[in-house]
Amino acid sequence: MKKKTKQKIQWFSICLFAVYLVFMIYFLFFAEGFGRVNTERGYTYNLVLFREIRRFWNHRELLGMKAVIVNIAGNVICFIPFGAILPVLCRKARKLFAIVLLSFEFSLLVECAQLLLKVGSFDVDDLFLNTLGGLIGFLLFLVCDMLRRKKYG
């Protein structure tokens, strides 16, 4: 691949990642529709893996499928760009272990910030789902990279 093409891809990826981070910050900390309003509530947290996932699934008829999809699929989907774009920006993030670790660390940072700022709750299920999203994004990166290499060498 030509050096100029690589530079364009790198620049586009930086811009795309910056836009992604802005949207993440908005949805995770400021979006009123997702209960991200700073209220006088206390700290909320879940330290039991799969408790909230099970609760959402078991009460899906009461909560509605939109709530289930937003909670479960939304946590996965919101981290797919993280796992797909980061390997383009950083060669060290092109390993499975690295991207899983970075996805987990970024998710942990977000969860701790939500807990401390009282705009969400600390939830180990979210850590799991977000990390899974980062892994899926990385797998998409690998597929796209393989297709690119096949076509352009």
Side-chain angles (χ1 to χ4, degrees), residues 83-94:
I85 301 170
L86 198 60
V88 176
L89 297 176
C90 178
R91 294 187 76 70
K92 291 181 181 179
R94 292 184 183 177

Side-chain angles (χ1 to χ4, degrees):
M1 184 183 304
K2 295 179 184 177
K3 186 175 181 175
K4 191 172 184 177
T5 304
K6 282 185 179 183
Q7 288 174 338
K8 286 181 182 179
I9 291 171
Q10 193 76 9
W11 183 85
F12 179 73
S13 298
I14 290 169
C15 293
L16 192 61
F17 198 69
V19 169
Y20 164 73
L21 289 177
V22 167
F23 275 102
M24 284 283 288
I25 290 168
Y26 171 75
F27 283 114
L28 294 172
F29 298 105
F30 301 107
E32 291 180 19
F34 293 101
R36 307 294 189 222
V37 182
N38 192 359
T39 62
E40 296 301 317
R41 69 181 182 176
Y43 297 105
T44 57
Y45 55 89
N46 167 39
L47 301 176
V48 179
L49 189 59
F50 301 121
R51 176 186 281 167
E52 286 298 302
I53 294 171
R54 195 173 322 136
R55 183 178 73 82
F56 269 86
W57 186 254
N58 290 340
H59 300 288
R60 67 187 175 276
E61 291 174 4
L62 179 66
L63 298 169
M65 280 309 289
K66 180 181 177 185
V68 174
I69 291 169
V70 166
N71 186 282
I72 296 174
N75 276 300
V76 173
I77 292 168
C78 76
F79 267 70
I80 289 175
F82 185 86
I85 301 170
L86 198 60
V88 176
L89 297 176
C90 178
R91 294 187 76 70
K92 291 181 181 179
R94 292 184 183 177
K95 295 188 179 356
L96 179 68
F97 180 75
I99 205 69
V100 168
L101 183 62
L102 289 168
S103 297
F104 178 80
E105 290 173 340
F106 185 59
S107 179
L108 182 62
L109 177 72
V110 166
E111 292 296 317
C112 289
Q114 284 182 329
L115 177 68
L116 294 173
L117 298 172
K118 297 181 185 177
V119 292
S121 63
F122 182 95
D123 188 351
V124 294
D125 291 348
D126 289 353
L127 284 171
F128 172 77
L129 294 169
N130 294 343
T131 304
L132 179 62
L135 174 63
I136 292 169
F138 180 68
L139 295 175
L140 288 172
F141 163 78
L142 289 177
V143 168
C144 291
D145 192 49
M146 182 186 69
L147 293 173
R148 179 193 61 85
R149 288 177 190 272
K150 259 187 168 179
K151 185 170 183 171
Y152 298 108

